[in-house]
Amino acid sequence: QQPVQSPQAVILREGEDAVINCSSSKALYSVHWYRQKHGEAPVFLMILLKGGEQKGHDKISASFNEKKQQSSLYLTASQLSYSGTYFCGTGRLSARQLTFGSGTQLTVLP
Amino acid sequence: DAGVIQSPRHEVTEMGQEVTLRCKPISGHNSLFWYRQTMMRGLELLIYFNNNVPIDDSGMPEDRFSAKMPNASFSTLKIQPSEPRDSAVYFCASSFAPTEAFFGQGTRLTVV
């Protein structure tokens, strides 16, 4: 079953923060975050493997609440290069294949 | 490494014709995935191979779609006969560990 992402779209100014949520009615075994720029392939951002885990690089971080079956992606002090569509994917690690959410379109304006 | 290589990048074909999409995964990767992306349905997994063996093809829409992986460095996705509703961007991705998947640049298929 496809995870649900919110919001569907967000527009912000350079330097502002954003949060993208990913939730599932089924258990989330692992959460993978990808970003896709227009006309390009999705690019891996990070993976969270267990509840309570938090990760981040640069000013993009994520958390995983296993009990609530949700994950959140945090973009701090957004840059123009952050624009794109963000997808969360989930699946059993043993199976490897992912089911992706419908995506959140993020637009950062100067 | 050149990354995952897909061909062709663009394909325009007439309804009823056979279409073959090709993918060369990253050397050393043992998992290969075919995804389809449309505005309506988002990014859908079509089929997943592990060590050249199809593991999960539950996402293949119907019998018109077939996929093969004859060796570790090549896979094909075939649509026969093609229909306008098959128009989409088809991505191939490969991975080694059950973590990061590397996507190819995709094939934009238009069926008229």
Side-chain angles (χ1 to χ4, degrees), chain A residues 18-40:
Chain A
V19 180
I20 299 171
N21 298 305
C22 174
S23 63
S24 176
S25 57
K26 289 189 173 181
L28 289 174
Y29 299 101
S30 66
V31 180
H32 305 231
W33 286 97
Y34 284 78
R35 176 173 63 204
Q36 183 179 29
K37 293 185 179 287
H38 184 68
E40 299 182 6

Side-chain angles (χ1 to χ4, degrees), chain B residues 70-90:
Chain B
N71 56 63
S73 58
F74 184 66
S75 177
T76 60
L77 177 67
K78 185 178 294 186
I79 308 172
Q80 165 63 17
S82 58
E83 296 181 4
R85 60 191 169 122
D86 301 331
S87 297
V89 180
Y90 291 81

Side-chain angles (χ1 to χ4, degrees), chain A residues 2 30 32 34 36 39-44 47 49 87 93-102, chain B residues 9 30-31 33 35 37 41 43 45 48 50 55-56 91 95-101 103-105:
Chain A
Q2 189 179 40
S30 66
H32 305 231
Y34 284 78
Q36 183 179 29
E40 299 182 6
V43 174
F44 175 81
I47 178 176
L49 298 176
F87 293 94
L93 276 184
S94 60
R96 297 198 180 187
Q97 62 266 49
L98 298 176
T99 301
F100 284 97
S102 56
Chain B
R9 291 293 309 277
N30 58 0
S31 295
F33 312 85
Y35 286 93
Q37 187 174 38
R41 301 174 69 89
L43 202 56
L45 177 68
Y48 154 54
N50 193 48
I55 303 299
D56 182 358
F91 287 104
S95 71
F96 173 69
T99 52
E100 179 176 2
F103 283 75
Q105 289 303 301

Side-chain angles (χ1 to χ4, degrees), chain A residues 59-99:
Chain A
K59 294 179 180 176
I60 300 176
S61 61
S63 63
F64 180 16
N65 188 322
E66 198 170 15
K67 287 186 178 179
K68 292 185 177 179
Q69 296 172 187
Q70 67 183 35
S71 175
S72 295
L73 186 72
Y74 306 92
L75 299 100
T76 305
S78 58
Q79 304 169 17
L80 296 176
S81 61
Y82 288 0
S83 291
T85 301
Y86 289 79
F87 293 94
C88 69
T90 183
R92 290 178 179 270
L93 276 184
S94 60
R96 297 198 180 187
Q97 62 266 49
L98 298 176
T99 301

Side-chain angles (χ1 to χ4, degrees), chain B residues 53-65:
Chain B
V53 176
I55 303 299
D56 182 358
D57 65 355
S58 59
M60 297 286 263
E62 45 198 277
D63 292 345
R64 298 185 296 106
F65 286 69

